[in-house]
Amino acid sequence: MIETSANSVIEPGIGDSDAPEKNISPAPQRDENRPRSGKQPRQNNRRDKRDVHGWVVLDKPIGMTSTQAVAVVKRLFQAKRAGHAGTLDPLASGGLPIALGEATKTVPFVMDGRKRYRFTVAWGEERDTDDTEGRVTQTSDLRPSAAAIQDLLPQFTGLIEQIPPQYSAIKVQGERAYDLARDGETVELKSRPVEIHHLTLVEQPDSAHSVFEAECGKGTYVRALARDIGRILGCYGHICALRRTLVGPFGETDMIPLEQLEALCDRAASGEGSLADALLPVETALDDIPALAVTRADAARLHRGQAVLLRGRDAPNCSGTVYVTVAGRLLALAEIGNGELIPKRVFNLTGLTASPARSNERV
């Protein structure tokens, strides 16, 4: 599983092209009645972009890249800005949180949250990509018992060292590791610490497959887990199915399949619904951060980028990052320190936002 930074959510699409097709036709005849200096106005067939603010947690289908998913959602909403909170491999399905508009300012808070995966390991083969797409590099006739797997799992729980897969987005001397690997180069990646909060064996449908669930921190590669477990057991293994069920505050109940989202957009276009019903509020990403309500006067200062003094018996007895609201509406991300509230990110939520019904679901 590849993790990306908030600034790298727009990755190059594979096989995509924005170049228009070339049409060869006879030169048009000039209108003799039109002044020579006159120019025909260009026809604009593109739909106007609009301000849309909130989260769409797409239940990404297998075979779609995260970049393609962002492009589809951005087009459906005609949104000006969009990005995602952590890449999900094309062979994986499940939760891909897509931030629209001002929600892009909260992407780091989602990426720093826990992720939960359900994945199936096929035993007997190790592959260079650590999943079904790769070339077989090691084989074994051994098949692990459930007891042997259970005894090994504590070694992969807690803070561990993990070597990322060769086919990963990590940069090596300015190049992506997967680009170097595709060119036939041997990529030597250094191990790094990752945290596995929970790792359980869910079921073993047959001797050649095992189903796991893992809850882990930022930067963990589930494909590397399958590889390393297989090596220690001596049977080798690779991921053959992977689904993400949790990303930060977003779980399976928040996910919307692409077909359902497209149907909702069609109904909204015909006046039978609203796209706001598919949005979760921007502040959903901030569930783990304390909220602080301020007066309208203080809100005006914060909106201008000015600090607000915190004094009196109602002053918060805390420090660090808070999200600020005024009259129940998200205003800013701010830092409390030295008796002041200092704005760091101010939100402008003018435009399409989550419907009140979706907002109440998170209360």
Side-chain angles (χ1 to χ4, degrees):
M1 189 51 50
I2 304 171
E3 298 292 347
T4 65
S5 68
N7 292 326
S8 62
V9 293
I10 305 301
E11 54 196 334
I14 300 174
D16 294 338
S17 175
D18 293 327
E21 294 182 356
K22 294 180 179 179
N23 294 315
I24 301 175
S25 58
Q29 297 296 319
R30 185 172 65 85
D31 185 354
E32 297 296 338
N33 295 321
R34 180 169 57 86
R36 292 180 181 271
S37 59
K39 292 184 179 180
Q40 293 284 2
R42 286 186 178 182
Q43 290 186 352
N44 185 6
N45 294 323
R46 294 184 179 181
R47 293 186 296 177
D48 291 336
K49 300 295 184 181
R50 59 184 176 184
D51 292 313
V52 183
H53 311 295
W55 287 93
V56 174
V57 187
L58 185 68
D59 191 340
K60 189 190 79 66
I62 294 173
M64 175 179 281
T65 69
S66 297
T67 298
Q68 290 168 343
V70 171
V72 168
V73 171
K74 186 178 180 183
R75 173 179 56 80
L76 289 174
F77 281 83
Q78 303 174 46
K80 292 180 179 178
R81 289 184 295 153
H84 65 70
T87 302
L88 194 57
D89 289 341
L91 291 181
S93 67
L96 180 67
I98 297 176
L100 299 173
E102 294 289 86
T104 56
K105 297 177 179 179
T106 66
V107 163
F109 295 94
V110 177
M111 293 188 64
D112 288 342
R114 294 187 181 190
K115 283 85 176 173
R116 188 182 301 133
Y117 302 93
R118 186 181 180 98
F119 60 99
T120 302
V121 179
W123 304 115
E125 291 181 347
E126 183 173 309
R127 303 195 176 199
D128 57 2
T129 59
D130 300 317
D131 59 26
T132 55
E133 282 197 327
R135 177 178 57 87
V136 176
T137 57
Q138 299 281 357
T139 61
S140 173
D141 293 330
L142 295 176
R143 298 294 180 267
S145 66
I149 295 172
Q150 294 280 17
D151 290 343
L152 187 61
L153 295 186
Q155 295 186 37
F156 291 90
T157 305
L159 193 63
I160 67 170
E161 289 287 323
Q162 184 183 78
I163 298 176
Q166 287 194 66
Y167 286 80
S168 64
I170 293 174
K171 286 192 174 182
V172 180
Q173 296 180 346
E175 299 287 338
R176 297 289 185 186
Y178 54 67
D179 288 331
L180 297 174
R182 286 169 185 155
D183 290 339
E185 296 188 32
T186 300
V187 182
E188 297 292 340
L189 296 175
K190 295 180 180 180
S191 66
R192 58 184 189 173
V194 297
E195 189 167 10
I196 312 295
H197 303 287
H198 303 289
L199 178 61
T200 57
L201 175 64
V202 176
E203 61 176 316
Q204 202 154 5
D206 54 56
S207 62
H209 299 87
S210 298
V211 182
F212 297 86
E213 281 190 354
E215 188 169 314
C216 47
K218 182 179 179 180
T220 303
Y221 287 83
V222 180
R223 287 180 287 137
L225 276 178
R227 176 200 67 202
D228 294 342
I229 291 172
R231 286 179 179 178
I232 294 178
L233 291 171
C235 61
Y236 303 113
H238 64 275
I239 293 282
C240 63
L242 176 62
R243 179 171 176 80
R244 187 158 65 186
T245 59
L246 178 76
V247 189
F250 302 115
E252 288 194 281
T253 57
D254 298 312
M255 298 180 195
I256 181 169
L258 181 58
E259 296 81 2
Q260 185 177 333
L261 181 62
E262 290 174 333
L264 176 60
C265 291
D266 289 340
R267 292 195 301 271
S270 61
E272 297 178 4
S274 172
L275 287 176
D277 294 334
L279 290 172
L280 287 170
V282 172
E283 59 266 31
T284 309
L286 310 174
D287 276 359
D288 293 333
I289 299 173
L292 177 65
V294 298
T295 65
R296 293 188 182 278
D298 287 342
R301 288 184 58 85
L302 293 170
H303 195 266
R304 294 193 296 268
Q306 299 172 332
V308 170
L309 288 175
L310 300 173
R311 54 183 179 270
R313 63 182 182 180
D314 294 330
N317 185 23
C318 63
S319 61
T321 302
V322 296
Y323 75 87
V324 182
T325 64
V326 56
R329 188 173 176 85
L330 178 64
L331 172 69
L333 281 166
E335 293 286 332
I336 295 178
N338 298 322
E340 285 188 323
L341 184 63
I342 305 168
K344 297 298 182 181
R345 288 276 195 173
V346 176
F347 297 94
N348 181 9
L349 300 181
T350 302
L352 180 66
T353 58
S355 66
R358 294 307 305 273
S359 298
N360 293 335
E361 288 177 11
R362 308 295 302 190
V363 177

